């Protein structure tokens, strides 16, 4: 992870964790020869290491969603790349831009090299590339604008040097765009390349040309009856010691996979041209067309048709070559193909040893009913692992752990949301981080302590998915205080929903944290709910009770077999290691305990007080009557207050450290402070203390000083202002921080020293960047604060490689335990770029 840089005041920042889902599009993922996987996460290019199941970094630079990635060298050229110090990555986005990145293997650092001159007018849908030498590569890109562009890139001989880009050719493919490309060198024709492209016209088009010359149309391959989604050339196959043929595999939405063989024929001889033409015309009817490249010709024939998938086949890929043992041959191309389909399976195909008929030898898949299939499948460079990415933005990895026979077992992978993340909250004692998103899920991430990880660093994973909903989720609040873990979430509906942790989660959390606290054990005693089920077509999650676990009702297996009601029951399990996607998606739900009715529009903001007795909620509003804040009493869940003051949506609320005040900020550019008095057990009184128009634009964020009655507000007007509530309950402005470069969208204030009243204010912006400011408030003997008594200074401006690439939606400091005397504190952030991030801030 990358370190931050800043004001030299003894504060250092390092990245601890990134959780992100994959963009849901074909060609989004690429597994390189360096054994790293690249994928698009909204506008960022994310990199993860399959060995650690951790996302190491995200690369900022794209202004639109990343559609496709391609490593140079790819996993296909791993045998050539063993001694390379630098690897390169191409990424294409929905606006037509392609960016070239450099990765230094020894340093583990990334560098933005350059943006390829933008020739595409619409989104890039596929990039393919091959290494033609150790320092040269040729790549092609296709787009929705029905053009294909070919480039040559020469890599620098030293680190940090410039890459030389040469535009080779542009091909217009007509009104039906191409969505799949593959490049290969032609065997026996030195310097000649062949480009296969397929798309919406159901045909495969072959173009060939010299490496630095123009590409000419060769021939068409017909056979598929629907859109062609993937193409992949094998490396030239050696049969008699010389490479004389190359294989092309294609997949389509017609559910079929076709293998085409391009066999090198004798050189064309002018004396035999008439005979050749006659022979070609006869053969082409039976075998297929002939591709002419220079003085050589290649007979193309359909080698095999593979039928086995039950839905669109989105990707096919040859197993990467292995280093050959025999001398004189650099590699050995395995006769093995991986296919991935929307039928939720990946298959490995190989020819049967005696007959040579291609057979499906391995099938792996996602059996969860809530998965909707795979967008792509990829081999690891050494061929012992296969990776799929699915409709839910998820990864699925299997590794062949067998010795004498193949045994493909699921492995841990990184996971995360696949849409904008709207809110985050730390668990009461900081044991886990809860996030909600427009992907309609709630997820829990936690460090898994008793896992053997590299070095001393804790390894973070998603350990639960408490809510899988039917509406985009906008806000969440974890209820503080004693008792079981509970949270309230608000979505694009008028109801807030309360969830309570089941016994299976509490026990899993016990395995995750290093020292089992009595706190967790005490909670487990009274919990009678093991897990939860999702009802068919419903939004509620029904509890599964502990005593009912053994009483499984007898069901006729044929009942409702093909109806929506045929949803399997969840099987809540206590996990002793981080769960994988199939388990997370269905078996880790929390039961819903209450619904909170009252608001007239979609929920927008939630917060809980520190005692765990009140929850405040707000909804989207365009009038004062709808913009009221509702107060709910925890336990009885009665509405105990309706606070009116704002005229537009209340964007964020927060209780002061002693719960005496509730601060709210709104789209109407005003903040309000209410005094809250919890006089009795069932009564709560409140009073409007102050209301001010604080900024010139929407106020997005607010945060209290944990040690006093000072608070900060952040706005679209690019300013952060510090205020204080005086003894007479009036509010006075203390200072305004220097103007920021972008709209301020998130704030979080953490206290460092109670006696000196020092703290850090984390500021998140619309451009994705995060800054840390030190705030020191000097009070007089009577507890008042003078206007010049606030000292503010920029401490750290986080490295853009550590930050979000789109708007930061929320910042949250991890709760420090009383016994925690360490000088480090963790900060969590979430944003529109689908990423949850955790930073470690060292305060020396």
């Amino acid at each position: 992870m990358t370190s931050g840089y800043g004001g030299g005041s003894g504060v250092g920042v390092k990245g601890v964790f990134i959780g992100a889902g994959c963009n849901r599009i074909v060609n989004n993922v690429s597994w390189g020869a360096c054994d790293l996987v690249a994928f698009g996460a909204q506008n960022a290019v994310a990199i993860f290491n399959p060995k650690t199941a951790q996302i190491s970094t995200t690369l900022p630079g794209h202004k639109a969603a990343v559609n496709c990635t391609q490593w140079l060298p790819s996993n296909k050229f791993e045998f050539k790349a063993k001694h390379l110090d630098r690897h390169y990555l191409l990424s294409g986005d929905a606006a037509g831009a392609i960016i070239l990145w450099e990765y230094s293997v020894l340093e583990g650092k990334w560098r933005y090299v350059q943006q390829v001159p933008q020739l595409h007018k619409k989104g890039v849908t596929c990039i393919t590339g091959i290494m033609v030498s150790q320092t040269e590569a040729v790549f092609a890109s296709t787009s929705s604008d029905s053009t294909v562009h070919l480039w040559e890139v020469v890599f620098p001989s030293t680190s940090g040097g410039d890459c030389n880009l040469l535009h080779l050719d542009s091909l217009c493919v007509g009104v039906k765009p191409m969505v799949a490309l593959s490049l290969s060198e032609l065997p026996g024709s030195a310097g000649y390349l062949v480009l296969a492209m397929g798309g919406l016209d159901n045909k495969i088009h072959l173009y060939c040309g010299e490496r630095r010359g123009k590409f000419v149309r060769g021939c068409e391959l017909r056979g598929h009856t629907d859109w062609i989604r993937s193409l992949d050339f094998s490396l030239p196959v050696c049969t008699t010691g010389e490479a004389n043929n190359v294989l092309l595999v294609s997949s389509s939405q017609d559910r079929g996979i076709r293998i085409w063989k391009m066999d090198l024929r004798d050189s064309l001889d002018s004396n035999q041209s008439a005979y050749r033409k006659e022979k070609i015309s006869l053969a082409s009817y039976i075998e297929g067309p002939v591709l002419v490249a220079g003085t050589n010709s290649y007979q193309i024939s359909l080698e095999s048709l593979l039928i086995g998938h039950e839905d669109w086949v989105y990707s096919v890929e040859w197993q990467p070559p292995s280093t050959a043992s025999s001398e004189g041959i650099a590699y050995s191309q395995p006769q093995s193909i991986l296919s991935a389909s929307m039928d939720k399976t990946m298959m490995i195909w190989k020819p049967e040893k005696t007959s040579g008929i291609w057979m499906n030898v391995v099938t792996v898949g996602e059996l969860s009913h809530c998965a909707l299939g795979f967008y792509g499948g990829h081999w690891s460079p050494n061929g012992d692992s296969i990776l799929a990415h699915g409709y839910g933005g998820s990864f699925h990895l299997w590794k062949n752990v067998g010795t004498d026979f193949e045994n493909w077992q699921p492995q841990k992978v990184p996971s995360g949301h696949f849409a904008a993340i709207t809110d985050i909250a730390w668990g009461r004692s900081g044991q886990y981080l809860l996030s909600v998103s427009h992907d309609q899920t709630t997820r829990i991430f936690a460090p898994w302590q008793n896992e053997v990880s590299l070095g001393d660093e804790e390894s973070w994973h998603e350990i639960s998915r408490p809510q899988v909903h039917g509406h985009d989720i906008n806000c969440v609040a974890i209820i503080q205080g004693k008792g079981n873990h509970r949270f309230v979430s608000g979505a694009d509906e008028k109801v807030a929903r309360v969830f309570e942790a089941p016994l299976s989660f509490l026990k899993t959390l016990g395995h995750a944290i290093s020292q089992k606290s009595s706190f967790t054990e005490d909670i487990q005693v009274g919990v009678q709910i093991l897990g939860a089920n999702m009802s068919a077509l419903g939004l509620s999650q029904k509890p599964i009770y502990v005593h009912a676990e053994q009483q499984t009702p007898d069901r006729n297996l044929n009942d409702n077999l093909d109806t929506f009601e045929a949803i399997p029951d969840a099987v809540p399990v206590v996990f002793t290691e981080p769960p994988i996607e199939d388990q997370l998606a269905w078996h880790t739900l929390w039961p819903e305990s209450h619904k909170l009715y009252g608001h007239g529009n979609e929920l927008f903001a939630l917060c809980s007080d520190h005692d765990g007795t009140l929850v405040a909620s707000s909804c989207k509003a365009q009038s004062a009557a709808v913009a009221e804040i509702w107060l709910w009493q925890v336990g009885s869940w009665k509405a105990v207050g309706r606070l009116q003051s704002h005229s537009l949506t209340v964007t964020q609320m927060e209780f002061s450290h002693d719960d005496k005040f509730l601060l709210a900020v709104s789209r109407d550019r005003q903040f309000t402070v209410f005094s809250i008095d919890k006089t009795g057990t069932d009564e709560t009184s409140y009073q409007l203390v102050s209301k001010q128009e604080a900024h010139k634009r929407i106020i997005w964020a607010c945060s209290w000083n944990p040690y006093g009655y000072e608070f900060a507000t952040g706005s679209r007007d690019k300013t952060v202002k510090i205020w204080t509530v005086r003894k007479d309950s009036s509010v006075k402005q203390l200072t305004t921080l220097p103007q920021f470069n972008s709209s301020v969208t998130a704030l979080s204030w953490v206290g460092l020293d109670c006696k000196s009243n020092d703290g850090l204010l984390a500021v998140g912006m619309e451009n994705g960047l995060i800054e840390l400011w030190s705030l020191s408030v000097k009070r007089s003997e009577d507890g008042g604060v003078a206007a010049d008594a606030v000292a503010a200074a920029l401490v750290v401006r986080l490295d853009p490689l550590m930050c979000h690439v789109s708007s930061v939606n929320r910042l949250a400091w991890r709760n420090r335990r009383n016994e925690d005397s360490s000088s480090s504190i963790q900060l969590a952030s979430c944003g529109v770029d689908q990423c949850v991030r955790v930073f470690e801030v060292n305060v020396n």
Side-chain angles (χ1 to χ4, degrees):
M1 292 280 187
T2 322
S3 295
Y5 60 90
S9 55
V11 173
V13 181
K14 73 170 183 176
V16 173
F17 169 70
I18 302 172
C22 179
N23 288 344
R24 302 191 295 167
I25 192 167
V26 186
N27 302 323
N28 188 248
V29 178
S30 177
W31 198 332
C34 56
D35 207 17
L36 294 178
V37 175
F39 65 95
Q42 208 245 358
N43 296 358
V45 180
I47 309 296
F48 86 81
N49 185 341
K51 290 186 171 62
T52 61
Q54 298 290 301
I55 298 174
S56 57
T57 191
T58 55
L59 308 177
H62 287 284
K63 301 290 190 295
V66 175
N67 282 350
C68 49
T69 58
Q70 174 68 35
W71 282 94
L72 295 173
S74 65
N75 53 0
K76 190 183 295 186
F77 294 93
E78 191 263 347
F79 68 94
K80 282 186 178 181
K82 294 186 184 299
H83 306 296
L84 288 182
D85 295 333
R86 293 176 303 282
H87 290 244
Y88 294 86
L89 177 68
L90 291 160
S91 56
D93 67 27
I98 299 173
I99 294 179
L100 179 64
W101 312 86
E102 179 185 271
Y103 173 65
S104 171
V105 176
L106 298 176
E107 299 175 355
K109 290 185 178 179
W110 283 89
R111 180 173 74 94
Y112 175 103
V113 180
Q114 69 185 96
Q115 181 173 331
V116 177
Q118 189 163 340
L119 300 179
H120 289 299
K121 300 295 186 287
K122 293 183 180 178
V124 181
T125 53
C126 181
I127 301 175
T128 185
I130 60 167
M131 300 293 293
V132 291
S133 73
Q134 290 280 15
T135 58
E136 292 174 293
V138 174
F139 70 90
S141 62
T142 184
S143 162
S144 310
D145 62 8
S146 298
T147 62
V148 176
H149 298 290
L150 289 112
W151 301 82
E152 181 189 65
V153 57
V154 181
F155 302 123
S157 55
T158 57
S159 182
D162 290 332
C163 291
N164 294 322
L165 267 174
L166 175 65
H167 182 233
L168 298 178
D169 204 355
S170 294
L171 306 172
C172 292
V173 296
V175 293
K176 295 188 175 181
M178 297 292 114
V179 295
L181 300 174
S182 187
L183 269 169
S184 175
E185 294 183 281
L186 282 170
S189 299
Y192 272 86
L193 302 177
V194 59
L195 170 67
M197 59 178 79
L200 279 58
D201 64 356
N202 309 348
K203 295 180 284 191
I204 301 170
H205 304 268
L206 296 182
Y207 287 74
C208 63
E210 293 183 84
R211 209 176 82 200
R212 291 192 173 176
K214 294 293 182 184
F215 277 67
V216 295
R217 188 184 186 91
C219 59
E220 292 177 354
L221 305 181
R222 300 168 184 260
H224 286 294
T225 58
D226 206 335
W227 293 3
I228 291 163
R229 299 310 303 237
S230 182
L231 295 166
D232 191 35
F233 277 111
S234 70
L235 289 188
V237 179
C238 303
T239 52
T240 57
E242 291 185 7
N244 54 15
N245 65 65
V246 64
L247 297 172
L248 171 67
V249 62
S250 61
S251 71
S252 166
Q253 290 180 184
D254 65 8
R255 308 179 184 184
I257 301 167
R258 290 172 179 260
I259 303 173
W260 311 84
K261 185 175 183 180
M262 297 174 57
D263 213 344
L264 175 64
R265 298 169 50 157
D266 297 333
S267 298
L268 290 172
D269 191 299
S270 57
N271 296 330
Q272 298 178 338
S273 58
Y275 168 73
R276 282 284 181 204
K277 283 179 183 175
E278 184 181 347
K279 187 174 181 183
I280 288 171
S281 62
L282 180 62
S284 63
Y285 182 76
I286 302 169
E287 297 180 307
V290 169
L291 178 72
V292 177
T295 58
N296 288 337
S297 64
Y298 299 84
Q299 176 66 58
I300 302 174
S301 57
L302 180 63
E303 177 82 358
S304 187
L305 172 61
L306 313 183
I307 302 294
H309 285 294
E310 297 175 357
D311 209 332
W312 298 354
V313 185
Y314 265 138
S315 86
V316 280
E317 188 175 287
W318 288 96
Q319 182 176 336
S322 55
T323 306
S325 54
S326 59
E327 296 191 11
I329 302 173
Y331 61 88
S332 170
Q333 171 68 61
Q335 297 291 287
S336 178
I337 293 170
L338 174 69
S339 63
S341 166
M342 282 301 278
D343 66 5
K344 308 177 191 177
T345 64
M346 282 203 303
M347 296 182 178
I348 297 176
W349 306 81
K350 293 182 179 180
E352 207 259 324
K353 289 183 179 178
T354 53
S355 66
I357 298 172
W358 284 79
M359 305 286 288
N360 165 26
V361 294
V362 175
T363 301
V364 294
E366 179 61 39
L367 301 179
S368 167
H369 83 281
C370 42
L372 287 177
F374 294 145
Y375 277 131
H378 303 273
W379 291 95
S380 64
N382 61 5
D384 71 347
S385 300
I386 51 177
L387 176 76
H389 65 106
Y391 179 84
S394 55
F395 288 106
H396 311 263
L397 178 66
W398 289 268
K399 185 174 183 179
N400 184 12
V401 296
T403 50
D404 299 329
F405 57 92
E406 292 194 1
N407 180 17
W408 295 85
Q409 293 297 319
Q411 306 293 309
K412 288 191 293 290
V413 286
S415 65
H417 295 282
F418 57 86
I421 303 170
T422 47
D423 204 356
I424 50 173
W426 285 99
R428 278 183 315 218
S429 50
Q431 294 169 327
Y432 58 84
L433 181 67
L434 182 77
S435 62
V436 297
S437 164
H438 284 167
D439 69 3
Q440 306 184 348
T441 66
T442 299
R443 303 179 189 233
I444 290 179
F445 301 92
W448 199 277
Q449 299 283 16
N450 55 358
E451 182 192 50
V452 180
S453 56
L454 299 176
D456 297 326
E457 294 184 4
E458 56 192 9
S459 175
W460 282 72
H461 300 276
E462 184 181 349
I463 65 167
S464 179
R465 203 166 295 171
Q467 184 183 9
V468 177
H469 204 40
H471 295 289
D472 294 1
I473 307 176
N474 297 323
C475 49
V476 70
I478 288 184
I479 297 164
Q480 305 299 318
K482 296 181 180 179
N484 195 3
H485 297 260
R486 287 175 293 181
F487 73 87
V488 186
S489 71
D492 275 344
E493 56 179 346
K494 301 173 185 179
V495 186
R497 299 173 185 268
V498 185
F499 295 85
E500 188 163 332
L503 190 60
S504 58
F505 170 79
L506 297 174
K507 291 185 175 181
T508 297
L509 189 62
H511 286 289
I513 57 180
S514 54
Q515 50 269 27
K516 284 189 180 180
S517 61
S518 58
F519 172 70
T520 307
E521 296 290 345
D522 291 344
I523 293 174
Q524 294 181 18
V525 173
V527 177
Q528 295 299 313
I529 296 174
L530 187 65
N533 265 323
M534 175 67 77
S535 58
L537 298 181
L539 299 173
S540 297
Q541 295 169 192
K542 308 299 183 186
I544 300 173
Y545 291 96
V546 174
H547 58 78
E549 182 187 8
Q550 306 300 329
Q551 301 170 10
T552 306
D554 294 328
R555 290 185 181 178
N556 187 340
L557 294 177
N558 294 321
D559 286 351
N560 304 323
L561 192 62
D562 295 317
T563 67
F564 284 112
E565 284 76 13
I567 292 180
D569 287 337
V571 183
V573 176
V574 177
F575 297 107
T576 55
E577 60 180 20
I580 59 173
E581 177 68 23
D582 194 13
Q583 299 161 330
L584 285 167
W586 193 238
H587 304 304
T588 61
L589 294 171
W590 289 22
E592 182 184 306
S593 60
H594 293 87
K595 294 182 180 71
L596 309 183
Y597 294 95
H599 285 289
N601 281 335
E602 298 92 339
L603 272 291
F604 195 83
L606 285 163
C607 76
S608 167
D609 67 357
H610 298 81
D611 286 343
T613 56
L614 285 179
V615 169
S617 62
S618 72
C619 70
K620 296 177 182 178
Q622 292 184 330
S623 66
V626 182
E628 59 188 4
I629 298 167
W630 285 58
L631 293 179
W632 308 88
Q633 186 180 59
V634 173
S636 68
W637 296 110
K638 294 177 181 176
V640 293
R642 294 169 67 172
L643 287 55
Q644 291 189 349
S645 70
H646 291 287
S647 58
L648 293 173
T649 306
V650 173
T651 54
Q652 191 177 357
M653 302 167 291
E654 191 172 297
F655 285 92
S656 61
H657 67 285
D658 57 4
D659 295 334
K660 287 185 178 178
F661 296 104
L662 173 64
L663 168 66
V665 294
S666 166
R667 284 180 176 270
D668 62 13
R669 309 174 185 180
Q670 298 177 330
F671 70 75
T672 51
V673 178
F674 295 91
S675 64
I676 306 291
D677 185 12
K678 296 176 246 184
T679 51
T681 53
D682 290 332
E683 291 191 18
T684 301
S685 61
Y686 51 88
Q687 184 178 355
L688 177 62
V689 168
S690 178
K691 177 177 178 180
Q692 288 191 33
E693 184 161 337
H695 292 268
K696 296 176 182 177
R697 304 291 298 276
I698 293 172
I699 306 176
W700 282 122
C702 63
S703 186
W704 285 97
N705 177 3
Y707 296 142
Y709 295 128
E710 297 80 34
F711 62 87
T713 57
S715 164
R716 184 180 277 176
D717 64 10
K718 304 180 183 179
T719 61
V720 172
K721 296 181 179 181
I722 312 297
W723 313 77
T724 184
V725 181
R726 295 194 279 196
K727 285 195 169 182
D728 60 358
S729 293
S730 64
V731 174
K732 174 186 174 185
Q733 183 177 344
L734 296 178
T735 187
T736 302
L737 300 188
Q739 188 159 4
F740 293 85
N741 295 325
S742 183
S743 300
V744 175
T745 53
L747 294 173
S748 188
W749 195 332
V750 67
L752 298 178
D753 189 339
C754 185
K755 292 179 182 177
S756 62
N757 203 14
D758 291 341
L760 281 178
L761 181 67
V763 181
M765 289 170 276
E766 193 174 33
N767 59 10
L769 300 183
I770 298 171
E771 295 183 5
L772 299 184
W773 288 72
S774 67
L775 294 177
S776 181
V777 182
K778 296 178 183 175
R779 294 196 179 93
S780 57
E781 292 184 2
D782 63 352
V785 181
D788 59 350
V790 177
L794 174 63
V795 176
V796 173
R797 185 174 284 131
L798 270 64
D799 188 316
L801 280 171
M802 300 174 71
C803 295
H804 297 271
V805 300
S806 298
S807 181
V808 181
N809 278 339
R810 191 73 79 228
L811 293 165
W813 293 96
R814 189 175 188 177
N815 306 332
R816 299 179 84 172
R817 299 186 184 92
N818 294 331
E819 67 272 11
D820 188 359
S821 59
S822 66
S823 60
S824 68
I825 184 169
Q826 289 187 335
L827 172 69
S829 68
C830 70
V832 177
D833 64 356
Q834 307 173 187
C835 292
V836 171
R837 298 169 189 268
V838 178
F839 307 97
E840 187 148 311
V841 180
N842 290 299
V843 186
N844 299 320

